[in-house]
Amino acid sequence: MKMQFPVDVNEYERAGSNERYIIPDNTYTLEVMEVTPDGTSKNGDPKINFKLGLVEFLNNPDWPYNRWLYHSIFLIPMGKKGHGIALHFLKVLGAVPDEQGIINIEPSEFIGRRFSAFVYSEKDAQGILRQRINHIEPLPEVGTEEVPF
């Protein structure tokens, strides 16, 4: 017996791929959920992975997309190309260097930290669609705005 199964052709194209749940390009408030040191780069620079939750949608059962994404940084030595990327991210998370200019990283201290970032999609070298972030900024401090009266 033949059976029919009506489907949305656009959904059919996305079914079984990570593209079905890709977060729409937009600026979101993100929260650090997990931090994991994860080996090194080809050059031997330490790598840290961050699991970031979308604060506004973590507990929203109606949100049809992923509620989190991953972001990695490499601790590239000062003076080498790419050093500022990790430095900016750590600064936004509240890391502060000591008197000698060293940031001591305790990964668990970043859990719960929040910031704003633009989330977008981009295909990697293998053609797989990945979530990326840029325009990483600290959240405005509460109570710092002037009252207009």
Side-chain angles (χ1 to χ4, degrees), residues 77-95:
M78 183 173 48
K80 291 191 176 182
K81 184 178 179 184
H83 170 74
I85 295 169
L87 180 62
H88 176 71
F89 188 67
L90 293 171
K91 183 178 179 182
V92 167
L93 292 181

Side-chain angles (χ1 to χ4, degrees), residues 124-145:
D124 66 11
Q126 291 78 35
I128 298 170
L129 195 61
R130 304 281 185 193
Q131 298 281 193
R132 308 280 190 225
I133 63 173
N134 66 12
H135 303 292
I136 301 163
E137 299 296 333
L139 294 177
E141 293 186 30
V142 178
T144 58
E145 295 181 28

Side-chain angles (χ1 to χ4, degrees), residues 112-126:
R113 303 273 175 98
R114 292 181 173 189
F115 60 95
S116 171
F118 183 75
V119 177
Y120 66 100
S121 303
E122 176 179 77
K123 290 195 176 185
D124 66 11
Q126 291 78 35

Side-chain angles (χ1 to χ4, degrees), residues 23 52-54 57-63 65-69:
I23 300 163
L52 306 171
L54 277 70
F57 302 105
L58 279 174
N59 298 311
N60 182 346
D62 297 326
W63 177 252
Y65 310 103
N66 282 335
R67 292 177 175 88
W68 50 265
L69 64 131

Side-chain angles (χ1 to χ4, degrees), residues 35-55:
V35 183
T36 311
D38 186 30
T40 60
S41 70
K42 294 176 193 173
N43 297 330
D45 303 323
K47 178 183 177 185
I48 304 174
N49 287 332
F50 294 83
K51 182 178 181 181
L52 306 171
L54 277 70
V55 172

